[in-house]
Amino acid sequence: DGGITQSPKYLFRKEGQNVTLSCEQNLNHDAMYWYRQDPGQGLRLIYYSQIVNDFQKGDIAEGYSVSREKKESFPLTVTSAQKNPTAFYLCASSEGQGPGDTQYFGPGTRLTVL
Amino acid sequence: DAKTTQPNSMESNEEEPVHLPCNHSTISGTDYIHWYRQLPSQGPEYVIHGLTSNVNNRMASLAIAEDRKSSTLILHRATLRDAAVYYCISSLAPFGAGTTVTVRA
């Protein structure tokens, strides 16, 4: 089945530790995205990538880092510089970044920092 | 990117139609209108999208105003499984808080 996988579903970390969230897609999509969602809120864009080895900051990139070494993978690292990292993290992909391109989302990773 | 405006919440009875409005008064001529929905603790899923003409698929219908400043997502017969947060976005514009749809049995 084609789709996007995120692992793990739940992640717990101690304050001050970096943590990396996995996102893999087998849709052969060029564009990939990371969003953060807080309770009762919409999605906020952290980073996006239109092509391998290239990525751009979204609206709330501070305290996060990404890499795009392979087309199918777009891991997100939540660093200790992120002041309030506890949230629901969603990865998405789209065929391109044209106005008609639809985003397909993974199931999300819920990160809790203790 | 055009911002969209949606009501915070809507309620419906099971098997009745649901009409979800969305305002996008600053939309450009090439921006598509996309609708997604999100169930609790899940990622959003695609519902429907369109540019100018009304669109239908197995999940819903999308009615786009002639001036493209607004659109309406229509769920023809709401079921309990349609209870979700529905997001209307213009192309790659930010996701707002969406409309929370509650379906009463």
Side-chain angles (χ1 to χ4, degrees), chain B residues 37 45-48 56-61 76:
Chain B
R37 72 179 186 184
E45 65 170 337
Y46 166 79
V47 177
I48 200 166
N56 300 293
N57 66 20
R58 64 175 181 80
M59 290 180 73
S61 295
H76 294 284

Side-chain angles (χ1 to χ4, degrees), chain B residues 15-16 20 39 55 90 92 100 105:
Chain B
E15 299 198 2
E16 288 185 355
L20 300 176
L39 298 169
V55 185
S90 167
L92 296 176
T100 300

Side-chain angles (χ1 to χ4, degrees), chain A residues 87-104:
Chain A
F88 189 45
Y89 290 88
L90 288 156
C91 178
S93 73
S94 63
E95 196 167 338
Q97 274 210 308
D101 284 308
T102 298
Q103 294 184 55
Y104 294 89

Side-chain angles (χ1 to χ4, degrees), chain B residues 33-97:
Chain B
I33 299 125
H34 285 78
W35 284 83
Y36 297 85
R37 72 179 186 184
Q38 186 178 25
L39 298 169
S41 297
Q42 295 187 25
E45 65 170 337
Y46 166 79
V47 177
I48 200 166
H49 76 291
L51 183 62
T52 55
S53 304
N54 294 345
V55 185
N56 300 293
N57 66 20
R58 64 175 181 80
M59 290 180 73
S61 295
L62 176 60
I64 301 171
E66 200 168 326
D67 63 7
R68 299 206 337 118
K69 293 184 186 300
S70 66
S71 61
T72 302
L73 179 73
I74 303 163
L75 307 177
H76 294 284
R77 291 182 64 190
T79 70
L80 296 178
R81 288 173 295 181
D82 291 323
V85 178
Y86 287 77
Y87 299 100
C88 163
I89 68 167
S90 167
S91 293
L92 296 176
F95 282 74

Side-chain angles (χ1 to χ4, degrees), chain A residues 6-48:
Chain A
Q6 291 185 246
S7 60
K9 189 170 176 64
Y10 299 97
L11 189 56
F12 296 88
R13 279 296 182 269
K14 290 184 179 179
E15 196 171 340
Q17 289 183 332
N18 291 354
V19 60
T20 298
L21 281 58
S22 166
C23 177
E24 304 276 330
Q25 55 101 355
N26 61 3
L27 300 167
N28 200 34
H29 285 171
D30 285 320
M32 296 187 74
Y33 314 81
W34 273 106
Y35 292 91
R36 170 185 172 131
Q37 187 174 36
D38 292 291
Q41 306 296 313
L43 282 65
R44 292 186 290 168
L45 184 64
I46 305 173
Y47 268 98
Y48 64 100

